Amino acid sequence: MSKVKGLPVLDLEVAPCCPPLTERALNVEEAEVAARMFKALGDPVRLRLFSAVASHEGGEACVCDISDVGVTQPTVSHHLKKLKEAGLLTSERRGTWVYYRVEPSVLAAMGRLLAGAAVV
């Protein structure tokens, strides 16, 4: 008899920060949320770290696997903290390592914000 218990599947609903830019003008709160996200990604090191986490196999990455971005470990930690503060990443400590993952709705929300803004 197996004692392995399956985990429930979460039905995550995307909670976008803002409407598409072409839908209507952003209000103050929406603009502040979007600006925090884009400001955090405006730094090349942060963008590389975010990309490394987002594209990592399994949807999460150990800090030990993504810290080779050309800066010192304390600087990597600082940038990861900024990404967390902007709501772009979450983290979980497992033993001595910290694992990061992209917030479930972040990529969809950012994509929705920019949807329709591209000129064809």
Side-chain angles (χ1 to χ4, degrees):
M1 180 185 304
S2 175
K3 293 185 180 184
V4 176
K5 194 175 183 182
L7 295 174
V9 176
L10 298 177
D11 184 22
L12 295 174
E13 186 176 318
V14 174
C17 75
C18 319
L21 293 174
T22 55
E23 185 177 298
R24 65 171 173 78
L26 301 178
N27 65 35
V28 173
E29 183 180 327
E30 292 166 340
E32 288 173 357
V33 170
R36 269 195 305 275
M37 288 192 314
F38 289 115
K39 183 177 180 181
L41 292 174
D43 181 281
V45 172
R46 288 187 202 141
L47 185 56
R48 288 184 64 203
L49 288 168
F50 183 76
S51 173
V53 173
S55 65
H56 202 270
E57 186 176 330
E60 68 177 9
C62 174
V63 69
C64 60
D65 294 329
I66 60 170
S67 58
D68 186 22
V69 291
V71 295
T72 64
Q73 177 55 47
T75 304
V76 168
S77 295
H78 165 77
H79 287 303
L80 288 169
K81 178 182 175 185
K82 292 296 184 183
L83 290 168
K84 281 181 62 176
E85 288 172 351
L88 297 171
L89 296 178
T90 59
S91 65
E92 178 184 351
R93 180 171 290 283
R94 298 180 196 157
T96 58
W97 296 110
V98 178
Y99 287 78
Y100 290 88
R101 73 188 64 76
V102 175
E103 273 295 315
S105 62
V106 166
L107 293 176
M110 291 170 62
R112 182 173 185 268
L113 174 66
L114 296 173
V119 177
V120 214

